[in-house]
Amino acid sequence: MFKRLPDDRADPVEIEFEGECLQARAGDTVAAAVLAASPGHTRTTPVSGAPRLPYCLMGTCFECLMEIDGVPNRQACLTVVQAGMRVRRQHGKRAVDA
Ligand code: FES
């Protein structure tokens, strides 16, 4: 769906997405890296379980909520990739500790 512009200057960064290695570029947001790799949806809705993808990419719509390094409800479009980052889809709403 998305194609990257050629950029030989960007350093490659490896992150883990759903247990698989995903190649990103330094400076990518998590949302951009996931969209560029096209591995499918990034979260499911709490009510129907419908798959969703990042939409606005500027912190407004909250369609990009993901679990990043074990922390749920993080906006992937506002989070820059770091080597070794562990990213998972968010299924429904996050659990709230009692
Ligand atoms: S894509 Fe809209 S808030 Fe992240």
Side-chain angles (χ1 to χ4, degrees):
M1 181 151 107
F2 291 88
K3 289 187 178 179
R4 289 183 174 278
L5 295 173
D7 185 357
D8 296 336
R9 298 167 295 169
D11 294 328
V13 175
E14 280 190 10
I15 65 172
E16 180 189 306
F17 178 72
E18 293 291 330
E20 302 287 326
C21 179
L22 189 150
Q23 291 287 333
R25 290 182 183 168
D28 278 355
T29 63
V30 172
V34 171
L35 287 171
S38 297
H41 66 282
T42 54
R43 74 176 187 99
T44 59
T45 61
V47 176
S48 69
R52 307 297 287 187
L53 285 166
Y55 180 67
C56 73
L57 298 173
M58 61 182 190
T60 303
C61 72
F62 288 78
E63 292 288 4
C64 62
L65 296 179
M66 301 185 82
E67 182 182 308
I68 298 174
D69 287 336
V71 180
N73 269 10
R74 293 195 54 194
Q75 286 177 278
C77 71
L78 301 180
T79 306
V80 176
V81 295
Q82 295 179 355
M85 188 176 257
R86 290 171 297 116
V87 179
R88 301 213 176 282
R89 292 184 174 105
Q90 183 161 315
H91 298 284
K93 60 186 176 186
R94 68 169 281 196
V96 177
D97 297 334

